[in-house]
Amino acid sequence: MSSDVELSGIVIAGGRSRRFGVDKRRLRLWGESGPHLLGHAVALLQPLCVETIVVLNDAEAWPDVPARIVPDEQPGSGALGGLISGLQAMRTPAALVIAADMPLIVPAALAALARWPFTGDALAPTPPGQPDQPQPLFAVYRHSVLPQLRRAFAAGERRLQAALMALRWVDPGPALWHRYDPAARSLLNLNTPDDLVAAQAWLRQVE
Ligand SMILES: Nc1nc2c(ncn2[C@@H]2O[C@H](COP(=O)(O)OP(=O)(O)OP(=O)(O)O)[C@@H](O)[C@H]2O)c(=O)[nH]1
Ligand SMILES: [Mg+2]
């Protein structure tokens, strides 16, 4: 794929924050006057993408999010269901996809991912030292993967990473991290309150 193809930006954001305990999408890690986590994710994608889509199931609670909000085709079907719904809604040949719970994405790393030339169906970085762990929610997918993802979902697959690994996926390799995000902090996602403590420590360091 050429590096100048138009991208849709998709935030997968219909989770329930069960491990976190409160709706993590509402966290304001940059102070009360800063964005909430979902708004932060949208703002990261906007400069890189010709349209921005958020996949969630309580659209009425997010009237001010400057993105096209689409619901899950099957609410509660997990992040794989959310990805399928987002890819169905997109209007470009490929999408840059992130989750709503990633407070430390380095904009330059995301921009590099968006421009990275690749062959194959998906571009998914692996964490340093973990070449068999492609990250499905810091990734680029071609729209053409939709039928394969739908078949996996219909067959009962709910594990997003497993569905990604069944595609022809490509790793941009360690150069992405070396150049833009040496600790790969872009991949940190807030699953538990402990993850929030770690993220806040990082944010204090970079401020
Ligand atoms: N659209 C959609 N997104 C989902 C769904 N489940 C999870 N997600 C999103 O996928 C991303 C990764 O999910 P998790 O980290 O497990 O987040 P979560 O589901 O809110 O958290 P837990 O309830 O603790 O698993 C988050 O941005 C979630 O909002 C779903 O059923 N639909
Ligand atoms: Mg998570």
Side-chain angles (χ1 to χ4, degrees), residues 107-167:
L110 189 64
L113 187 69
R115 290 190 309 266
W116 208 274
F118 72 101
T119 54
D121 296 329
L123 177 70
T126 58
Q130 297 178 258
D132 56 349
Q133 299 291 326
Q135 299 297 299
L137 294 176
F138 189 77
V140 179
Y141 295 85
R142 291 184 204 279
H143 182 255
S144 57
V145 302
L146 192 50
Q148 196 179 337
L149 292 182
R150 283 193 183 286
R151 280 195 297 277
F153 188 87
E157 183 61 84
R158 293 295 178 272
R159 299 163 304 160
L160 181 52
Q161 191 187 45
L164 162 64
M165 291 176 83
L167 303 174

Side-chain angles (χ1 to χ4, degrees), residues 190 192-202 204:
L190 299 186
T192 66
D194 281 350
D195 295 331
L196 174 60
V197 174
Q200 284 170 323
W202 270 105
R204 277 195 299 274

Side-chain angles (χ1 to χ4, degrees), residues 163-204:
L164 162 64
M165 291 176 83
L167 303 174
R168 287 190 309 142
W169 66 278
V170 177
D171 183 354
L176 178 76
W177 304 125
H178 284 159
R179 284 184 213 157
Y180 303 106
D181 183 8
R185 63 187 174 90
S186 295
L187 299 179
L188 185 124
N189 58 106
L190 299 186
N191 294 320
T192 66
D194 281 350
D195 295 331
L196 174 60
V197 174
Q200 284 170 323
W202 270 105
L203 288 171
R204 277 195 299 274

Side-chain angles (χ1 to χ4, degrees), residues 8-203:
S8 301
I10 302 178
V11 186
I12 309 298
R16 299 195 184 140
S17 302
R18 280 163 293 208
R19 287 166 290 172
F20 199 80
V22 297
D23 188 346
K24 56 191 174 184
R25 303 170 301 176
R26 296 264 176 213
L27 290 174
R28 291 185 189 273
L29 297 182
W30 300 272
E32 279 313 301
S33 56
H36 47 57
L37 212 38
L38 179 56
H40 178 72
V42 169
L44 283 166
L45 291 175
Q46 265 173 341
L48 305 173
C49 300
V50 297
E51 64 169 351
T52 311
I53 294 167
V54 177
V55 189
L56 49 68
N57 299 300
D58 54 348
E60 66 293 343
W62 304 94
D64 298 329
V65 170
R68 186 149 61 95
I69 296 189
V70 305
D72 282 341
E73 293 175 8
Q74 281 183 43
S77 51
L80 177 57
L83 176 62
I84 289 170
S85 303
L87 295 178
Q88 179 66 48
M90 69 194 268
R91 296 173 179 145
T92 64
L96 178 61
V97 178
I98 60 175
D101 63 348
M102 304 173 85
L104 301 181
I105 288 178
V106 174
L110 189 64
L113 187 69
R115 290 190 309 266
W116 208 274
F118 72 101
T119 54
D121 296 329
L123 177 70
T126 58
Q130 297 178 258
D132 56 349
Q133 299 291 326
Q135 299 297 299
L137 294 176
F138 189 77
V140 179
Y141 295 85
R142 291 184 204 279
H143 182 255
S144 57
V145 302
L146 192 50
Q148 196 179 337
L149 292 182
R150 283 193 183 286
R151 280 195 297 277
F153 188 87
E157 183 61 84
R158 293 295 178 272
R159 299 163 304 160
L160 181 52
Q161 191 187 45
L164 162 64
M165 291 176 83
L167 303 174
R168 287 190 309 142
W169 66 278
V170 177
D171 183 354
L176 178 76
W177 304 125
H178 284 159
R179 284 184 213 157
Y180 303 106
D181 183 8
R185 63 187 174 90
S186 295
L187 299 179
L188 185 124
N189 58 106
L190 299 186
N191 294 320
T192 66
D194 281 350
D195 295 331
L196 174 60
V197 174
Q200 284 170 323
W202 270 105
L203 288 171

